[in-house]
Amino acid sequence: MEKVEKQVDFKSLFESAPGLFLLLLPDLTIVAVSDAYAAATLTKREKITGRHLFDVFPVNPDPALEDAVSNITAAMHFVVKNKASHAMPVQRYDIRRPDGTFEEKYWSAVNKPILNASNEVAYIIHRVEDVTPLIQLQKDHIKKGEVTNDLQNQLLEMASALMIANKELAFQNLQKEKRASELDVANKELTFQNQEKEKRASELAVANKELLFQNVEKEKRASELLVVNEALVKSDGIIKQFNQGLEQNVAEGTSTLENLHKDIADYKYALDAADIVAVTDQKGIIQYANENFCKISKYTKEELIGQDHRIVNSGYHSKDFIRNLWVTIANGKIWKGEIKNKAKDGSIYWVYTTIVPFLDEQGKPYKYLAIRSDITEQKRATSELQLNEIKYRDLFENSLAAICTLDMSTQKPVDVNATGARLFGYQSKAHFIRDFNLQTHFADPQDVESIARTIIEKGEIINREARLKKLGGTEFWGIASAKMNFETSIAQSVMIDITERKLSIEKLKVSEEKYRSFFENSVVAMFTVDMHSLSIIDVNEMGVRLFGYPSKQGLLNGYNPKLHFGQIENRANNIQTLREKGEINNLEQEFKRLDGSRFWAKLFVKLNVDKSLAHSVIIDTSQQKKAIVQLAASEEKYRNLFQNSLVSMHITDMLNFKAADVNDMAVEVFGYQSKADFLANYASVKHFVKPDDWGKILRALSTKGKFNTAVLEMKKVNGQHFWAGMFVTLNAEKTYAQTVVVDITRQIHFQEELEAKVIERTRELTESLGREKELNEMKSHFVSMASHEFRTPLSTILSSSSLLEMYTESDQQEKRMVHINRINAAVKNLTDLLTNFLTLERLAKGFVEAENSLFNLPDFLETIVGDLEGMTVKKNQRISYTHSGGKMVEQSKTILKNVFLNLLSNASKYSDEGNEIELKSIVTGDHITVIVKDYGMGVPLEDQKKLFTEFFRAGNAGEIPGTGLGLSIVKKYIDLLNGKISFESTPGKGTEFTIVLPSVK
């Protein structure tokens, strides 16, 4: 029975528990205090037990700490009212030192109620965790210059994580409450045991009464012995008093025992609710394990009891560590420390452990009590803090920015990173901290005063630029940000060398000016568009001119998209594409100028980074489109020239020496079956009889880019030799070679024939020169003739008009008519002459077009004959007309009328009076044949080749009026109608012209 009571000395256990505990009454009177709590608060248990919480721990007069009292009071009220645990956030506590000053502490507290049998709050366990090192570490980070937002956010996240841990702790406390309710049953059992003890105490009272009875009997025996010894009477009185005292002591002992049992029960309940508890024998075999031990180890009580603590051994600790633990407790001493254990599922957990040995009468341990607190989260947080400290210290030390911490009260550095020391020209951090002086490192002393004053007044500076100096006097530009901690007078500053940036800005200004000049003076139209309002906010001069505005401001104020898009829906499509893809590249569209004229242009648009502005370039491609059409026509022409050339042409890819293109003549020259055969099988080297010739060509191409040769002996695919002239030229990029091969085999064989042809060509050239000379003479003759032709009718008009003035009498009408007719004839002659000139010019320039119509050919020709017979035909001349075949034809009546009038009038002009002129027309199928025959003077044989030449007149024309243009005009007319004209003439007998035309019908 004595050993049982030694096992449950929970009051001592509570007081020696490793955690910081207070046991409070609901009115916040302190009932019990753990040793750890007393040590942490610099108090003694006997001086604070029985006193009110806030009497022992008065509030620091600092108004900033008033919230701590209200928070604790609110938390206690919550526990009493709701009979539930309450986890408080981290609070600042000021612990009064013996000298009256305060020591700053930061505690995370959990308040748990202990309910009595009436379900009322009997006690409150106030358990706290000291997180001062964590908060101090956070402050140290700030103090050491962790001023960037990212680092501060990390610290805040750590604090937030701690808050979350506190909440998790509160959740664990709630779980502990559940376990406490489970322990209520055990408590009731303990109460029952206490009741049994009370019964035993009452039995003891009966025994005491029996003892009293015996004492009474003794008194009787003593009275009988009074006779023998009166002195015994006095002794009997003393014994009686002693017995009364003993009875009182028994009653008081019973009451004390009852109170002790109750205290033991309360301490045991509080200890089980707050910590992990296990009891082992002297060999370490587990005899008792509470619910907290089972929960954290994930073993049941049945699995734990009977085992030693190796069941949760993680293997982390060394043998020396374990040996030291056992030596300590085996010698009857309390052991405290941190142990890393492993749960049943393999998970790891840390506990702060206090092992208390129970000693027997000889002072030897016969049992051990292990009290543990779960510090897994604390260890994890500490580990994270250590890692973070290393990380942030690494960030500080290795930052590319200069970071320095200054004591603003002395303007002396507290800490600096390596970048900061190098920035100001110091050899080391120690050198910097020892010798740094703000005044010596600012080019302008006023900057020092201004920056220091701003930091002290406002607590920070942000992105302040200043001209600074290194230790050796070298100046540089820096930009600084700093923030001051008013509690410590420490300012954390970050500085970056922006010398290069300043130079870059200057360069940027120059570049901006350059590009602004480029924008304003560009040869292409440039615009800047606000993507929110879709309005033009800037435009260069070329853009103003392109859209036909009088000025830049006129365009900015008056631009209307509906006036300038060829198709207005293009604008909406452009905006959608731009917003989806961020750019428009090389898009060709039709636009309109302010005056309505249209033009084609290519559009290039790109959004800026934030997509608020669009930069547009518009290039007028109207001329380019025209040039492309012309280029396509030219390409077609030269491709036709390549494909249909009478010389061999092929293109070789210089990377693989394969044929890339070839014309038909090359296929024929080299003996391939087709172009496909050539392209698939052509290899340059196999066509050279002398392989060295191929090497010569490659060397010439590599040095000169081209190769020209007179004669090379080559082979066809079938091995047949032939002689060729070869010309090879590389393109500008030297990727392709254009080769022209001329088969000159026949030229070699017939050199003499070639020379003869040269002689013949020389002769032809001589003749050509003669003809050109003759043509010049003809033009000279035409000038003389034209002068004569103009002068003669003009002289006639002048003389006749002069004579008309003389015939004023009425009987002189006949004479007046003679001269009027002469004037009319002269005017007609001039008109015909000018008409020929104009017609020739219009035909030469291509202004004459055939306008076809369906008409009756015989009727058409008979009308022309009728007109001529009444006007220009000589006396007694007659035009006879015959027709055969179909009558309806489709041709140009206007052109044909001019042709037949010219031929028929020539037939009349160059024939004598009384001669007949024959006109015959024949329509067969789709052809029209017309014959005009006269019996006049004819054309000399030597002049017949030149008859259709401009300004040419036959040598026998004499004084007959004419310009030498009529037949030239007729020939051009017939060519325009896709017809043919020919003639046969015999001097002295006449001439016959034959015209053959297609009938469009």
Side-chain angles (χ1 to χ4, degrees):
M1 190 67 180
E2 292 177 354
K3 288 187 177 180
V4 172
E5 292 184 359
K6 286 184 179 179
Q7 294 176 25
V8 293
D9 188 7
F10 289 108
K11 181 175 185 297
S12 298
L13 296 180
F14 178 85
E15 292 172 350
S16 61
L20 279 65
F21 295 95
L22 277 181
L23 189 64
L24 305 172
L25 294 176
D27 63 357
L28 303 187
T29 298
I30 299 172
V31 176
V33 184
S34 69
D35 294 339
Y37 192 97
T41 57
L42 306 178
T43 58
K44 294 186 179 296
R45 180 182 296 105
E46 59 273 14
K47 291 186 178 181
I48 65 173
T49 304
R51 296 175 60 189
H52 193 276
L53 178 64
F54 294 135
D55 290 340
V56 176
F57 304 110
V59 180
N60 189 322
D62 186 350
L65 303 177
E66 291 179 355
D67 289 343
V69 175
S70 59
N71 290 342
I72 294 174
T73 304
M76 296 301 181
H77 284 239
F78 176 89
V79 172
V80 172
K81 180 179 179 181
N82 296 284
K83 301 177 182 178
S85 295
H86 181 273
M88 298 176 61
V90 174
Q91 298 287 328
R92 174 176 168 181
Y93 291 81
D94 283 356
I95 306 303
R96 188 188 295 275
R97 299 187 182 95
D99 61 1
T101 61
F102 288 92
E103 180 181 351
E104 184 179 311
K105 293 283 188 178
Y106 290 89
W107 286 352
S108 173
V110 177
N111 301 302
K112 176 180 177 60
I114 295 178
L115 306 180
N116 58 20
S118 303
N119 199 33
E120 297 295 331
V121 177
Y123 301 101
I124 299 174
I125 298 177
H126 178 64
R127 176 184 179 182
V128 298
E129 288 190 28
D130 189 352
V131 295
T132 305
L134 175 64
I135 301 301
Q136 189 59 44
L137 181 59
Q138 181 178 7
K139 290 185 176 183
D140 288 344
H141 281 308
I142 298 173
K143 190 173 183 179
K144 290 178 181 178
E146 301 297 328
V147 297
T148 63
N149 288 333
D150 289 340
L151 301 185
Q152 291 176 352
N153 288 338
Q154 290 289 339
L155 291 175
L156 290 175
E157 289 176 5
M158 291 165 56
S160 176
L162 181 60
M163 295 298 184
I164 293 172
N166 285 335
K167 291 182 180 179
E168 291 177 352
L169 181 61
F171 175 77
Q172 293 175 3
N173 289 333
L174 290 175
Q175 295 298 316
K176 291 179 179 178
E177 289 178 21
K178 292 181 180 179
R179 291 195 300 271
S181 64
E182 293 172 357
L183 290 174
D184 282 342
V185 176
N187 193 31
K188 289 178 180 178
E189 292 178 357
L190 183 60
T191 302
F192 175 77
Q193 294 175 1
N194 291 333
Q195 290 174 351
E196 290 296 316
K197 291 177 181 180
E198 290 176 1
K199 290 181 180 179
R200 289 195 294 275
S202 62
E203 291 173 353
L204 181 61
V206 172
N208 288 332
K209 289 180 179 180
E210 289 177 352
L211 181 61
L212 290 175
F213 177 75
Q214 292 173 2
N215 290 333
V216 171
E217 290 296 319
K218 288 179 180 180
E219 289 178 0
K220 289 180 179 181
R221 289 193 298 273
S223 61
E224 292 173 353
L225 295 175
L226 287 174
V227 176
V228 179
N229 192 0
E230 292 180 359
L232 290 177
V233 175
K234 185 176 181 179
S235 299
D236 182 61
I238 295 173
I239 292 171
K240 185 176 182 179
Q241 292 177 356
F242 174 76
N243 285 337
Q244 290 176 348
L246 180 61
E247 184 177 2
Q248 183 178 355
N249 288 338
V250 169
E252 291 176 354
T254 301
S255 175
T256 301
L257 183 61
E258 290 176 354
N259 291 334
L260 180 60
H261 280 303
K262 186 176 184 302
D263 287 346
I264 291 172
D266 288 345
Y267 282 124
K268 179 178 182 301
Y269 182 80
L271 199 59
D272 276 340
D275 279 316
I276 301 161
V277 180
V279 179
T280 69
D281 62 13
Q282 72 275 17
K283 295 181 180 180
I285 303 301
I286 300 172
Q287 295 180 336
Y288 171 80
N290 71 349
E291 288 298 327
N292 289 344
F293 191 2
C294 295
K295 181 176 181 181
I296 194 168
S297 68
K298 297 183 173 58
Y299 287 101
T300 64
K301 288 185 178 181
E302 291 75 11
E303 291 173 321
L304 289 171
I305 294 173
Q307 301 289 331
D308 61 22
H309 277 80
R310 283 180 290 184
I311 194 172
V312 292
N313 186 5
S314 66
Y316 173 79
H317 300 285
S318 66
K319 291 181 178 180
D320 289 341
F321 177 88
I322 302 298
R323 186 181 300 110
N324 177 64
L325 183 154
W326 274 104
V327 169
T328 300
I329 61 176
N331 289 324
K333 298 178 182 179
I334 296 174
W335 184 92
K336 296 182 180 182
E338 295 178 354
I339 297 179
K340 182 178 181 180
N341 287 335
K342 182 169 71 174
K344 183 179 180 179
D345 62 0
S347 60
I348 298 298
Y349 64 94
W350 281 86
V351 289
Y352 183 82
T353 304
T354 300
I355 302 177
V356 181
F358 288 172
L359 307 179
D360 57 16
E361 289 79 358
Q362 290 77 33
K364 299 293 183 179
Y366 67 93
K367 283 190 184 296
Y368 298 104
L369 173 66
I371 304 171
R372 303 178 182 92
S373 296
D374 184 1
I375 59 170
T376 306
E377 286 301 316
Q378 182 179 346
K379 291 288 287 186
R380 183 190 62 78
T382 302
S383 176
E384 288 182 0
L385 283 173
Q386 290 172 345
L387 291 175
N388 285 334
E389 198 279 336
I390 294 171
K391 178 174 70 174
Y392 297 136
R393 166 55 63 179
D394 184 67
L395 284 174
F396 174 83
E397 294 294 350
N398 300 305
S399 174
L400 296 178
I403 304 176
C404 175
T405 304
L406 292 175
D407 186 336
M408 293 305 294
S409 63
T410 61
Q411 293 192 353
K412 293 292 183 180
V414 176
D415 201 358
V416 66
N417 65 356
T419 303
R422 287 196 304 270
L423 179 63
F424 285 96
Y426 288 90
Q427 296 178 356
S428 64
K429 291 173 60 174
H431 185 198
F432 181 97
I433 294 172
R434 185 184 70 243
D435 297 338
F436 179 82
N437 187 328
L438 273 176
Q439 303 294 331
T440 62
H441 290 289
F442 278 81
D444 186 351
Q446 293 182 354
D447 285 343
V448 183
E449 298 177 5
S450 174
I451 290 174
R453 184 170 58 254
T454 302
I455 293 176
I456 292 172
E457 292 177 354
K458 298 184 178 180
E460 64 180 8
I461 59 168
I462 299 176
N463 295 338
R464 175 72 174 269
E465 289 187 9
R467 193 158 49 92
L468 303 168
K469 292 190 297 184
K470 294 182 181 291
L471 191 60
T474 304
E475 291 192 359
F476 67 97
W477 280 92
I479 184 169
S481 295
K483 190 164 186 177
M484 182 171 175
N485 184 333
F486 286 103
E487 293 182 2
T488 60
S489 296
I490 299 297
Q492 301 88 22
S493 64
V494 177
M495 183 167 291
I496 301 173
D497 185 347
I498 61 168
T499 306
E500 291 186 3
R501 192 178 81 180
K502 292 285 285 187
L503 295 176
S504 297
I505 291 173
E506 292 302 321
K507 291 180 181 178
L508 187 61
K509 288 179 180 178
V510 174
S511 180
E512 192 274 341
E513 180 62 28
K514 178 178 72 174
Y515 287 113
R516 166 57 63 180
S517 176
F518 166 76
F519 176 82
E520 295 294 347
N521 303 307
S522 176
V523 295
V524 297
M526 292 185 175
F527 300 81
T528 300
V529 178
D530 184 334
M531 289 303 293
H532 298 296
S533 62
L534 297 179
S535 59
I536 296 174
I537 61 175
D538 201 0
V539 61
N540 67 353
E541 184 60 30
M542 185 56 69
V544 174
R545 291 206 301 268
L546 180 62
F547 284 94
Y549 282 85
S551 65
K552 179 177 180 177
Q553 202 59 41
L555 187 147
L556 295 176
N557 294 336
Y559 179 84
N560 185 343
K562 294 180 180 179
L563 300 178
H564 295 292
F565 276 86
Q567 295 180 339
I568 189 61
E569 57 270 20
N570 285 346
R571 179 174 182 260
N573 294 336
N574 293 349
I575 294 171
Q576 182 178 354
T577 301
L578 194 58
R579 285 176 171 160
E580 290 175 354
K581 299 182 178 180
E583 65 177 21
I584 296 174
N585 189 25
N586 204 20
L587 178 63
E588 192 165 30
Q589 292 182 342
E590 189 179 23
F591 293 90
K592 293 187 291 185
R593 295 184 176 86
L594 192 61
D595 61 6
S597 60
R598 292 176 177 262
F599 64 95
W600 284 89
K602 283 190 175 180
L603 186 62
F604 301 83
V605 189
K606 191 166 185 178
L607 292 178
N608 67 345
V609 176
D610 63 4
K611 299 183 179 182
S612 61
L613 298 176
H615 304 293
S616 307
V617 174
I618 300 179
I619 303 175
D620 188 348
T621 59
S622 300
Q623 294 299 322
Q624 184 181 4
K625 284 181 72 69
K626 184 177 179 181
I628 289 173
V629 172
Q630 294 174 347
L631 183 62
S634 177
E635 193 275 342
E636 179 67 21
K637 178 179 74 174
Y638 289 115
R639 174 161 289 282
N640 289 335
L641 178 64
F642 174 82
Q643 296 294 348
N644 301 311
S645 175
L646 296 177
V647 297
S648 166
M649 295 183 181
H650 66 274
I651 299 173
T652 303
D653 187 334
M654 294 304 292
L655 295 177
N656 53 26
F657 297 108
K658 296 290 185 181
D661 202 357
V662 62
N663 69 352
D664 293 335
M665 184 55 68
V667 175
E668 180 181 342
V669 167
F670 286 97
Y672 288 91
Q673 295 180 1
S674 63
K675 285 185 179 181
D677 184 23
F678 187 104
L679 294 173
N681 300 307
Y682 173 80
S684 301
V685 68
K686 72 180 182 181
H687 290 288
F688 288 89
V689 175
K690 299 178 181 179
D692 188 55
D693 288 343
W694 172 237
K696 290 179 181 179
I697 292 173
L698 291 179
R699 287 191 293 274
L701 291 178
S702 65
T703 57
K704 300 179 181 180
K706 64 180 180 179
F707 172 80
N708 296 327
T709 185
V711 178
L712 288 175
E713 190 175 9
M714 305 194 74
K715 294 186 294 185
K716 296 180 182 288
V717 174
N718 60 10
Q720 179 184 350
H721 289 210
F722 66 96
W723 292 93
M726 180 174 285
F727 308 89
V728 187
T729 304
L730 287 178
N731 65 347
E733 294 79 13
K734 297 184 179 183
T735 54
Y736 290 96
Q738 297 92 21
T739 304
V740 177
V741 177
V742 181
D743 187 347
I744 59 173
T745 305
R746 295 182 62 187
Q747 292 173 309
I748 296 296
H749 294 164
F750 301 102
Q751 188 67 35
E752 292 180 358
E753 181 181 348
L754 179 61
E755 292 175 357
K757 289 183 179 180
V758 171
I759 295 171
E760 176 64 21
R761 181 60 180 160
T762 303
R763 187 185 60 76
E764 289 177 355
L765 290 173
T766 304
E767 290 180 355
S768 177
L769 289 172
R771 285 195 299 271
E772 185 174 356
K773 181 178 179 182
E774 185 179 352
L775 180 60
N776 289 334
E777 291 175 354
M778 288 169 54
K779 289 181 179 180
S780 177
H781 173 69
F782 166 74
V783 172
S784 176
M785 178 272 299
S787 299
H788 176 268
E789 291 295 329
F790 277 106
R791 185 169 60 251
T792 300
L794 290 174
S795 299
T796 301
I797 293 170
L798 182 61
S799 61
S800 295
S801 61
S802 298
L803 292 172
L804 281 173
E805 293 178 353
M806 299 174 60
Y807 302 123
T808 59
E809 301 298 331
S810 58
D811 58 353
Q812 295 177 323
Q813 178 62 26
E814 184 176 349
K815 294 180 180 180
R816 285 197 294 271
M817 289 305 298
V818 171
H819 290 291
I820 290 171
N821 290 335
R822 288 179 66 195
I823 291 171
N824 288 336
V827 170
K828 182 179 181 304
N829 191 16
L830 285 172
T831 302
D832 292 342
L833 186 63
L834 291 172
T835 299
N836 285 337
F837 285 147
L838 293 172
T839 300
L840 185 65
E841 183 181 9
R842 294 177 70 240
L843 283 167
K845 293 183 177 180
F847 291 164
V848 179
E849 295 181 358
E851 297 181 358
N852 299 328
S853 62
L854 188 64
F855 62 91
N856 188 304
L857 182 61
D859 290 348
F860 173 70
L861 292 176
E862 286 176 356
T863 300
I864 293 174
V865 170
D867 292 340
L868 285 171
E869 288 180 339
M871 294 172 57
T872 59
V873 175
K874 291 181 179 178
K875 186 177 181 181
N876 296 325
Q877 285 182 344
R878 185 176 68 82
I879 300 173
S880 64
Y881 169 63
T882 60
H883 175 77
S884 63
K887 295 182 179 181
M888 300 303 293
V889 297
E890 188 171 355
Q891 262 296 350
S892 174
K893 292 175 67 176
T894 302
I895 292 177
L896 289 180
K897 182 177 181 180
N898 292 333
V899 169
F900 294 137
L901 283 174
N902 190 296
L903 292 176
L904 290 171
S905 61
N906 279 350
S908 173
K909 185 165 55 173
Y910 295 108
S911 299
D912 293 335
E913 294 182 356
N915 285 0
E916 183 179 13
I917 301 171
E918 296 179 1
L919 175 64
K920 184 187 295 184
S921 62
I922 304 166
V923 177
T924 56
D926 293 332
H927 290 86
I928 305 167
T929 303
V930 180
I931 301 171
V932 178
K933 183 177 182 181
D934 67 63
Y935 296 92
M937 64 177 64
V939 180
L941 291 175
E942 64 272 15
D943 293 338
Q944 288 184 7
K945 291 183 179 180
K946 308 173 186 177
L947 194 61
F948 294 112
T949 305
E950 295 174 2
F951 310 121
F952 177 78
R953 301 196 74 203
N956 61 348
E959 297 297 324
I960 299 173
T963 60
L965 295 175
L967 288 178
S968 174
I969 293 173
V970 168
K971 178 68 167 62
K972 287 181 170 56
Y973 273 145
I974 296 303
D975 291 343
L976 183 63
L977 298 179
N978 297 321
K980 295 181 180 179
I981 183 170
S982 61
F983 72 93
E984 295 179 358
S985 182
T986 304
K989 292 186 178 182
T991 303
E992 180 179 302
F993 285 90
T994 301
I995 297 173
V996 179
L997 297 166
S999 173
V1000 179
K1001 176 175 178 296

